[in-house]
Structures are given as C-alpha cells and as structure tokens.
C-alpha cells in the first residue's frame, strides 16, 4: 500500500489532500500543529503527527517514530 506524508494536514488544502489520499487507499501520515484537528484525522483512520516544520531538529525523529508506529 502506498504511503504519503502530508504537511499542513490540519486545515485547507493540506487537509483535503490528506483525506483524498486516504480515501484512495494510501497510508497517510498527516502532520500539523493543531491537536484537535489531528485528533479528527486520526478518528478517520489517518496516522497523525504533531509537528512544527519551523523546527527542523525534531523532524527526523518525529517522522521515524510515526513510521515505526504503523
């Protein structure tokens, strides 16, 4: 099954893309800063990751944890 990482998935275009990919059968890791919006996406079956891309130091470790949890 294909996997996709979608940044900014808690609203707008990022959310629409994450949901469309999920509906198409992809495993989606949805990232964003809004905990409530991430909970909504998780309830729909997406893997979520609270992540602020302005902090590049946390990106690789957070992504590795998300991939390990699949």
């Amino acid at each position: 099954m294909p996997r996709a990482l979608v940044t900014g998935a808690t609203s707008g275009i990022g959310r629409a893309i994450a949901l469309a990919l999920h509906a198409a059968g992809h495993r989606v890791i949805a990232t964003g800063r809004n905990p409530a919006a991430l909970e909504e996406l998780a309830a729909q079956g997406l893997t979520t990751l609270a992540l602020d891309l302005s902090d590049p130091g946390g990106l690789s470790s957070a992504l590795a944890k998300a991939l390990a949890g699949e």
Side-chain angles (χ1 to χ4, degrees):
M1 177 181 298
R3 289 189 280 185
L5 171 67
V6 180
T7 61
T10 55
S11 66
I13 293 171
R15 181 179 177 89
I17 290 170
L19 291 172
L21 288 169
H22 179 68
H26 295 268
R27 283 186 172 164
V28 176
I29 300 173
T31 71
R33 296 181 291 171
N34 181 325
L38 289 171
E39 285 182 31
E40 291 174 13
L41 292 170
Q44 295 183 53
L46 286 77
T47 300
T48 60
L49 179 60
L51 185 61
D52 182 353
L53 292 179
S54 68
D55 176 21
L59 175 60
S60 59
S61 63
L63 187 54
K65 288 179 187 177
L67 291 172
E70 289 189 333

